[in-house]
Amino acid sequence: MPTRPGIIIPAVLFASWADKGLALVVMGGLCRIVSARVKTTTPSHGGRNVEGMTTSTLASGFLLTDEKDASRYTLHRDGNLVSVLDYRDDGRTVALTRAFTVPTFRGHGYAGVVVEGAVADIITRGDRKVDAVCWYVADWFDAHPEHAGLLRVR
């Protein structure tokens, strides 16, 4: 059975269709419209499983959050979501799959900040290797050879 056409929101970058087209799930708090079809979250993580998250405050007003239930690190600055780093964790290796910065905040190095925070978190845990799947993450590791020992050997 094909899915029904739904609402298209081109400005929302973290959107995926769920429940055979009956619901639009918007992650990252980018959509502020309240609707029965749209699930939104705010940087305060209202309605989310806060127990499964790790937060740390960085310098200059940054807030880095490991949203374990969404398998991503998020970076907020002054209450705004600025960058996201998606990952897959299999218990031995954390595959950093995609670094993304919201277009209006690009050009300020926020993707580097979220990758650096994620790497620091993985080092602190001390029980995982990193697989740099995303090209940006691979370039970040090339620019920071002091963390090369953290990379998984293929």
Side-chain angles (χ1 to χ4, degrees):
M1 181 167 105
T3 60
R4 298 183 324 191
I7 301 170
I8 298 174
I9 307 173
V12 178
L13 302 173
F14 301 106
S16 63
W17 290 101
D19 198 19
K20 296 187 179 183
L22 300 177
L24 175 65
V25 178
V26 180
M27 296 180 278
L30 295 176
C31 182
R32 301 289 184 215
I33 300 171
V34 177
S35 166
R37 294 189 65 176
V38 177
K39 175 183 174 185
T40 60
T41 60
T42 60
S44 66
H45 309 295
R48 304 240 10 213
N49 180 6
V50 178
E51 292 176 15
M53 297 169 42
T54 305
T55 9
S56 62
T57 304
L58 305 174
S60 305
F62 288 111
L63 178 67
L64 179 72
T65 304
D66 178 5
E67 297 180 357
K68 291 175 177 47
D69 60 335
S71 296
R72 69 182 190 168
Y73 288 93
T74 58
L75 182 69
H76 290 85
R77 180 163 189 189
D78 300 326
N80 295 311
L81 176 70
V82 295
S83 194
V84 174
L85 178 62
D86 294 327
Y87 66 86
R88 287 186 322 264
D89 187 350
D90 67 5
R92 296 181 315 268
T93 304
V94 177
L96 301 177
T97 58
R98 183 184 72 130
F100 180 82
T101 301
V102 176
T104 55
F105 296 106
R106 288 186 180 157
H108 300 285
Y110 295 140
V113 173
V114 74
V115 171
E116 182 177 357
V119 167
D121 183 51
I122 294 166
I123 289 171
T124 301
R125 287 192 284 178
D127 60 348
R128 308 257 194 296
K129 290 289 189 177
V130 171
D131 192 4
V133 176
C134 172
W135 67 269
Y136 184 87
V137 175
D139 285 353
W140 187 90
F141 273 98
D142 287 343
H144 296 87
E146 67 274 14
H147 297 296
L150 190 60
L151 291 171
R152 178 179 70 99
V153 179
R154 293 183 186 205

